[in-house]
Amino acid sequence: MKRNIISLAFGATLLSGAAFAEAHGGLMVAGSDQDVSGGTVTAEKIVAGANGWLVVHRTDDSGKPGPVVGHAPLKEGENMDVSAILTEPVNSGDKLMLMLHAEDGGMKAGVFEYTLGAKEDGPVKVDDKLVMSVITAK
């Protein structure tokens, strides 16, 4: 099983490795390529600086986030095995970006209000880099 981890620590550049993130209180999203035929996708571990969201975006080889195809709430701190229900079909071989989003700027707390490019419940960035992991659907 291929495991993808992208870790970001405050005041640091893009770094790889869960150990660094854990040791330095950094934000992170860790996910692995997985079977999504059951209609869900799971992030193995997410470290969030505040309550927020795991957001599943479509992506491709360009690495840019595309449309949202699922989301799940997160609590501040360490979140393990977070599953999001997919809102549309995802085929084997599709790339998905598991991204940390904030719970900021919307009209209602606890309601996911983000649309692509919006500021409400938008992506979390550290040093202008998204906190995310890209996986491939099986």
Side-chain angles (χ1 to χ4, degrees), residues 7-12 15 17-28 47:
S7 304
L8 295 170
F10 292 109
L15 300 166
F20 181 90
E22 290 173 23
H24 294 89
L27 307 179
M28 68 173 286
V47 178

Side-chain angles (χ1 to χ4, degrees), residues 43-62:
E44 295 163 4
K45 181 176 180 178
I46 301 172
V47 178
N51 291 345
W53 303 96
L54 160 63
V55 179
V56 182
H57 292 267
R58 289 193 181 275
T59 192
D60 55 25
D61 291 334
S62 72

Side-chain angles (χ1 to χ4, degrees), residues 56-124:
V56 182
H57 292 267
R58 289 193 181 275
T59 192
D60 55 25
D61 291 334
S62 72
K64 294 181 181 176
V68 172
V69 296
H71 65 277
L74 298 170
K75 63 181 173 71
E76 179 180 356
E78 188 176 291
N79 297 261
M80 301 299 292
D81 299 319
V82 179
S83 292
I85 295 172
L86 296 169
T87 57
E88 61 185 61
V90 173
N91 298 316
S92 180
D94 288 354
K95 291 185 187 258
L96 299 173
M97 184 177 285
L98 310 180
M99 187 183 300
L100 177 61
H101 277 237
E103 172 56 53
D104 291 330
M107 298 297 289
K108 296 182 180 180
V111 176
F112 183 65
E113 300 174 84
Y114 178 79
T115 56
L116 199 56
K119 297 202 183 309
E120 296 81 11
D121 297 343
V124 173

